[in-house]
Amino acid sequence: MGQLGQLPFFLLIIVVMYFFMIRPQQKKIKQEKQFEAGLKVGDKIITKSGFHGKIAELTDTSAVIETMSGKLKIERSAISLELTAALNKKA
């Protein structure tokens, strides 16, 4: 009978983990994919490694950005959603 009383407690832990850990992570991944899909030539961006630039070319998986020192080819997933949003919010 004691083990049966613990079952609701474990179910509650699983539900709490879902709403506080798994669901927000899935939401963030979805938001990043929408951001990557919405990129266009001419957008000012910041990469996750800190490079600032403007998109010169786009392909399905990569982008060419213009920086002050030249052009760099990067993966689209290397563009930071948070840093780019903060950059565009200032402007």
Side-chain angles (χ1 to χ4, degrees):
M1 196 69 175
Q3 292 177 352
L4 190 59
Q6 292 178 355
L7 184 63
F9 178 72
F10 286 118
L11 289 176
L12 179 66
I13 288 175
I14 292 171
V15 169
V16 168
M17 283 180 56
Y18 175 76
F19 281 106
F20 286 107
M21 295 175 69
I22 299 169
R23 189 167 178 243
Q25 187 65 27
Q26 289 174 339
K27 192 174 182 180
K28 183 175 180 176
I29 290 170
K30 183 179 177 182
Q31 187 180 26
E32 285 180 355
K33 286 186 181 193
Q34 288 176 342
F35 170 73
E36 286 178 22
L39 290 173
K40 58 188 179 298
V41 174
D43 286 349
K44 292 183 180 180
I45 56 104
I46 301 176
T47 65
K48 292 179 181 176
S49 58
F51 291 112
H52 292 240
K54 187 166 46 169
I55 297 176
E57 298 174 33
L58 281 173
T59 64
D60 289 339
T61 59
S62 64
V64 175
I65 62 170
E66 292 180 28
T67 64
M68 293 183 76
S69 61
K71 292 185 178 183
L72 299 171
K73 184 174 183 177
I74 62 169
E75 293 295 316
R76 286 179 95 149
S77 60
I79 300 171
S80 174
L81 169 65
E82 292 86 11
L83 296 174
T84 301
L87 173 72
N88 291 329
K89 188 177 182 179
K90 289 180 187 177

